[in-house]
Amino acid sequence: MVEKVDVLILGSGPTGLGAGTRLHQHGRTDWLLIDQAAEAGGLACTDVTPEGFLFDMGGHVIFSHWDYFDQTINAALGSGPEAWNTLERVSYVWMKQRWVAYPFQNNISALPKEDQIKCLTGLVEAKVKNSLAPTKPKDFDEWILRVMGSGIADLFMRPYNFKVWAVPTNMMQCNWLGERVATVDVERAITNVINNKEDAGWGPNAVFRFPTSGGTGAIWKGVAKMLPAVNQRYNQTVTTINKDAKTVTLADGSSIQYNSLLSTLPLDITLRWLGNPDLADGLQHSSSHIIGLGIRGHCPHGTKCWLYYPESDCPYYRCTVFSNYAKSNCPAENDNLPTLCLGDGRAPESPAAEPGPYWSLMFEVSESQYKPVNQEPVTIGGSSWPALVCDTLMGAIATRLIDPSSEIVSIYHRRIEHGYPTPSLGRDAVLDKALPWLQQHNIWSRGRFGSYKYEVANQDHSMMLGVEAVDNILFGSKELTLNYPDIVNAKKNGELLLRSK
C-alpha cells in the first residue's frame, strides 16, 4: 500500500527544515520530511573525528538578512552568550609571502611597490574604460577587468576564483555577484596606498556568530528538535521521482505519494530522473574536499578567522582557524592523544598519548573536470588518505600555517560531490525553463542545489527558500528570495516572523 501525504519534503538541510518550520507554524500536520542521512543538517552538518575535533562542511558562519531566520535559530539554540560566540572577522589573503588584509582590492598597500603600481594603474584604466563601455560585461572575467583592472585580475581575482570555483572566470556569468564580491572605490584604494592603511571592514560578515558547542550542525539539529518527530524520517534514500503519479520511491522499495513535493535534491539529478537530461547538462557544479587537522599546542595565529590562498603553493583556496570559533571545536586540554604524524608527514618520535592544549585548521579544496584533484591513496599517520591530504600538509608548511615539526593528532577528510553550484553562462536559461516546468508538476525544487542560485545559497537564504516555498504552495505567495536576490540581499527583511515581536 502506498503511503500518502499532502506535502513531502526531501532533505533536512536549512531549506527542508525551513519548510518544515513554516508548515508547523501554520498548524499543518499532513507533511513529511525525509533524508538519507542519520540526522538533520544536510550540507550544514558537522562531523566529529575519533579524537574529538569538530569540522563543518566548509566555512559556515552566521550573518543574517532575515528576522525570521534569527528568531528560528535563537529558538533552537538560545540567544545569549551561552549559546553563541560573537566574533569579529579577522581575515587575510596570503600571497607574496605576506598577509594582505581582506578584501584584497582595498588593501593593495600591503603588496610590493611594483605590484601596487600594476594594481593602481589597472584600476584607473578600468574606471575610464568602464565609463565608456556601451554594454554590460558578458561574463565574470570581463566584469573583473572592468571593475578592478588587469593588475588585480592577474594577481588575485583570476587565480583565486579558479581555485574556488574550479571553473575559468570566462565561463561564469556575473549576475550572481551582488554582495558576494567587494567592488573597488578607486579613490579609497589610492588613499590607502598613499597612507599605507589597512582597510578590512567591508562586507556583510564583518561580525558573525557561531555556536559555542556542536558546530554549525548543532543549529539544524536544534531546529529539527522543534518539529514533531512523527513528521521526520531519517536513513531514507530516494531513488526516483515519478512526476505523473506524484510518487517518490525509496531504496527499500516503498513509495510515498504526495500532493506537493518540495525537493532540495540537486536539480541536475532531479531533471535526469524525470527524463530531461538536456536541461541537466546545462547546469554545472564543483565538488568540495574538506580537510581538517587537529594539532597539539597553542594556536600561533592569534584571532584570525578565515584565510584566502590564491597562489599555487597549496591546493586549498581557503583555510579556517576553526579552533578560534569555539573552544568546543577541539578536545579538552587534559585529554591525552597520541601524535599521528608530524607536520611534514614524518612519524613521531614517541607513540605515547599526551595532553593538549589543541587547535585546529579546516581547509577547503575545489574539484571539477577543469581542476582535477589527486585522490590516490597514501599512508599518513598509519592510515590511508587521499594524496590531497598530504598535499595539504605540505601546503600548510609552505604557507606558514604549521611547522614541519607540528604534532598532528587528528586528520579529517570528506569529499562532497555537490559542493558549489556554478553560476555558469547558461545557468539562468536552464533555471527559467526547469523550475516552472517542475512546478507545473507540483514539484518545488529549492535550496542551495535545488534552485542552483549561489547568490541565495547561504544558510539564511537556504532556510528562507524553504519558508517561502511553503507559503507559495499553500497560499500562492511570491517567493522573493528565489526570484529577487538583489532585493533581499540589500536589506534586513522583517516581513515574515516566526513569532510576533
Side-chain angles (χ1 to χ4, degrees):
M1 185 174 179
V2 177
E3 181 178 5
K4 297 182 179 180
V5 66
D6 184 30
V7 180
L8 179 61
I9 303 167
L10 306 184
S12 67
T15 303
L17 291 171
T21 298
R22 192 63 165 172
L23 286 163
H24 186 56
Q25 181 184 7
H26 285 313
R28 302 301 174 106
T29 58
D30 190 10
W31 61 273
L32 178 65
L33 180 153
I34 62 175
D35 196 294
Q36 66 179 351
E39 58 187 3
L43 289 176
C45 69
T46 300
D47 281 348
V48 184
T49 70
E51 296 81 15
F53 288 86
L54 276 62
F55 293 107
D56 283 355
M57 300 304 102
H60 303 310
V61 297
I62 296 297
F63 57 97
S64 165
H65 298 84
W66 281 272
D67 289 338
Y68 191 102
F69 178 84
D70 297 335
Q71 289 181 329
T72 301
I73 64 174
N74 286 342
L77 287 191
S79 58
E82 72 286 346
W84 299 95
N85 290 327
T86 300
L87 300 149
E88 182 178 349
R89 182 191 68 213
V90 181
S91 186
Y92 287 87
V93 178
W94 177 259
M95 66 181 305
K96 304 283 183 175
Q97 295 295 301
R98 69 189 69 198
W99 292 116
V100 179
Y102 171 87
F104 174 86
Q105 45 270 46
N106 286 352
N107 290 283
I108 55 181
S109 60
L111 296 172
K113 290 296 181 184
E114 60 271 22
D115 290 325
Q116 292 181 23
I117 293 169
K118 289 178 185 176
C119 291
L120 290 178
T121 301
L123 276 173
V124 173
E125 290 175 348
K127 187 174 179 67
V128 173
K129 290 180 180 178
N130 197 35
S131 66
L132 300 174
T135 59
K136 294 181 178 179
K138 67 178 184 297
D139 55 41
F140 185 29
D141 194 74
E142 187 173 315
W143 182 92
I144 292 169
L145 287 172
R146 283 202 199 179
V147 173
M148 302 185 187
S150 59
I152 292 176
D154 292 336
L155 274 173
F156 177 68
M157 290 296 290
R158 281 170 170 158
Y160 176 71
N161 278 285
F162 182 69
K163 286 185 82 172
V164 173
W165 294 101
V167 173
T169 50
N170 62 5
M171 294 178 64
M172 296 172 62
Q173 58 161 285
C174 51
N175 297 332
W176 60 277
L177 290 163
E179 64 177 11
R180 293 286 190 167
V181 179
T183 55
V184 185
D185 180 331
V186 176
E187 182 180 346
R188 181 174 176 177
I190 294 172
T191 301
N192 289 343
V193 169
I194 292 172
N195 295 325
N196 195 28
K197 177 186 175 184
E198 185 173 289
D199 186 358
W202 177 87
N205 56 9
V207 176
F208 62 93
R209 295 195 294 167
F210 194 86
T212 56
S213 63
T216 295
I219 301 170
W220 303 105
K221 290 179 186 178
V223 173
K225 287 179 182 178
M226 297 195 300
L227 303 176
V230 69
N231 294 103
Q232 303 174 69
R233 292 182 199 163
Y234 296 92
N235 298 304
Q236 305 284 312
T237 300
V238 176
T239 57
T240 191
I241 300 169
N242 186 322
K243 69 181 188 320
D244 299 315
K246 294 185 180 179
T247 58
V248 164
T249 301
L250 306 181
D252 63 6
S254 64
S255 295
I256 304 173
Q257 190 173 55
Y258 57 83
N259 291 323
S260 300
L261 177 66
L262 197 158
S263 172
T264 71
L265 304 183
L267 177 58
D268 52 312
I269 292 177
T270 301
L271 290 171
R272 293 188 197 285
W273 280 352
L274 298 181
N276 213 326
D278 290 342
L279 283 178
D281 288 343
L283 297 171
Q284 291 181 281
H285 71 273
S286 60
S287 301
S288 294
H289 292 261
I290 311 300
I291 300 102
L293 298 178
I295 307 155
R296 192 190 327 273
H298 293 280
C299 175
H301 300 297
T303 59
K304 288 184 175 71
C305 299
W306 60 90
L307 309 165
Y308 300 101
Y309 295 86
E311 296 178 325
S312 60
D313 54 355
C314 64
Y316 42 87
Y317 61 86
R318 181 165 59 187
C319 175
T320 299
V321 188
F322 205 51
S323 49
N324 280 346
Y325 284 10
K327 187 176 181 180
S328 65
N329 286 348
C330 295
E333 188 170 327
N334 58 1
D335 284 0
N336 292 327
L337 295 174
T339 300
L340 301 180
C341 68
L342 300 182
D344 58 7
R346 288 177 293 135
E349 292 183 3
S350 170
E354 298 178 5
Y358 303 103
W359 60 289
S360 63
L361 295 170
M362 180 176 67
F363 305 86
E364 297 167 77
V365 179
S366 65
E367 176 198 346
S368 75
Q369 60 179 314
Y370 308 103
K371 183 177 172 292
V373 167
N374 188 355
Q375 299 183 67
E376 291 297 317
V378 298
T379 299
I380 307 171
S383 299
S384 180
W385 298 96
L388 175 61
V389 174
C390 183
D391 295 342
T392 297
L393 279 169
M394 297 304 103
I397 294 171
T399 58
R400 303 183 190 176
L401 287 169
I402 63 173
D403 296 321
S405 59
S406 294
E407 296 183 49
I408 310 300
V409 299
S410 185
I411 300 174
Y412 171 83
H413 170 261
R414 181 168 174 175
R415 182 183 183 274
I416 303 167
E417 171 59 35
H418 282 78
Y420 274 66
T422 307
S424 59
L425 294 173
R427 182 201 70 172
D428 289 353
V430 171
L431 297 182
D432 289 345
K433 293 179 181 178
L435 296 182
W437 176 71
L438 289 171
Q439 208 160 318
Q440 289 173 6
H441 295 280
N442 283 37
I443 300 172
W444 282 255
S445 186
R446 301 292 185 266
R448 181 177 177 93
F449 277 99
S451 42
Y452 248 86
K453 289 189 175 184
Y454 179 72
E455 55 267 45
V456 282
N458 282 347
Q459 293 178 85
D460 58 337
H461 299 116
S462 297
M463 179 179 170
M464 296 310 297
L465 286 169
V467 169
E468 293 175 5
V470 163
D471 284 358
N472 184 264
I473 291 168
L474 298 181
F475 313 118
S477 305
K478 290 184 178 180
E479 297 177 80
L480 293 178
T481 305
L482 176 69
N483 295 310
Y484 304 100
D486 288 345
I487 292 177
V488 298
N489 282 334
K491 64 187 182 79
K492 188 75 171 187
N493 300 277
E495 295 83 1
L496 297 181
L497 297 173
L498 182 68
R499 297 183 178 90
S500 299
K501 292 184 177 179

